[in-house]
Amino acid sequence: MRSIRTILLACATTTALILGVSAPATATTGAPTSSTARPAASTPTPAPTVPAATSFKLPLVAKSYNVSSFFGPRCIPTQGGGTVHRGVDMATRGGSPIYAIAAGVVTATVDGTSSREGYIKVRHKIDGVEYESVYMHMWKSTTRVKVGQKVKAGQRISEVGSSGASTGNHLHLEVWRKTSKGMVAEDAATLLAAKGVDLLGAATSIWAKSAPATCKYYTVGGVNFRTGPSTAHDIIKLLPKGTAMVHVPGKVTDGFIPVKVGSRSGWIAISLVTPHKPATPTTTPTPTPTATPAAAATPAAAAKAPTYKTTAPLNLRTGASTSKQRILTIPKGSSVGAIKKKSGDWRKVTYAGKTGWVHSDFLTKR
């Protein structure tokens, strides 16, 4: 759902806004001072040679997934998400096997948590050019591979999960190409199509939609509206929580996005906006003794309320945000009953005796 570079950039921006300091450098341990304790010098183990990629495979079993998000500009799907999607999202059952798209060498493995995306990076040599494929949102990254290991095209490397900023189990696949100016993200579906692998055609269905001309967001709290894309630029004004703004998808600079608030244009940190309008507290009037008894009206009203089921594996969370703790994952096709409460695109439901929040994109009426 989110690219590695977007995650690092967003984290760095948020840290600067909150702390205003840099992270301390990691200390290193010096060599023993005793000559008898110092081991004899040895020749460093050379890094494995990256094999040439001659065949290409799907990262998931064909017809076992739905494409839920395309590569490219998009509206931010949830707080912490990016407006530039550098991968292709494929929603599927949690625990589904993930396969390497081509032969290569594993260069990174990071375990996921409820607030951090787990991922595996594999380096490839395609037509003489260096590439990296990144497989994201798994919980455990070393169940099948380790750093330095060579893998073949179609070799199982992990299992689908829903770690980090995620609304449900899915694989986020990225492809990066090495250039003279650094690594550049490419559309994984386009690359694979050129190699005879139809990532989109192998999906059960396509849920993803093209980005609209503009996206609407809201501030998550009191946020500075600035004249430029950094904290060094002047503050136009402090925007209160829930302030609406308009943004052109895909435009972002150093963790800031250009937006329009009313008729005024400016910049705001991307990590401090959400596509979900904050709920407005409502006060329920206390019925008078002469009013119609609530108990008499409740059963009839409840009988008319529609019930819902999940269209994909879906995370049940403690609050209406992917930053909230995951309670459990609801299987595809499971009934969650009637909607108890709404907050933006989130719905409060009950499953297996647990009440929490799920994203409405993956619910349908029964």
Side-chain angles (χ1 to χ4, degrees), residues 248 260 268 359:
V248 176
K260 182 171 285 188
I268 192 168
H359 201 279

Side-chain angles (χ1 to χ4, degrees), residues 282-341:
T282 57
T283 303
T284 304
T286 303
T288 62
T290 57
T292 302
T298 301
K304 296 180 181 179
T307 59
Y308 293 78
K309 66 178 181 179
T310 58
T311 59
L314 186 58
N315 285 334
L316 183 70
R317 295 185 180 272
T318 56
S321 169
T322 54
S323 64
K324 300 300 182 181
Q325 184 177 357
R326 185 177 68 95
I327 300 172
L328 52 80
T329 299
I330 305 172
K332 177 182 178 180
S334 299
S335 173
V336 294
I339 301 298
K340 298 181 180 297
K341 194 174 181 181

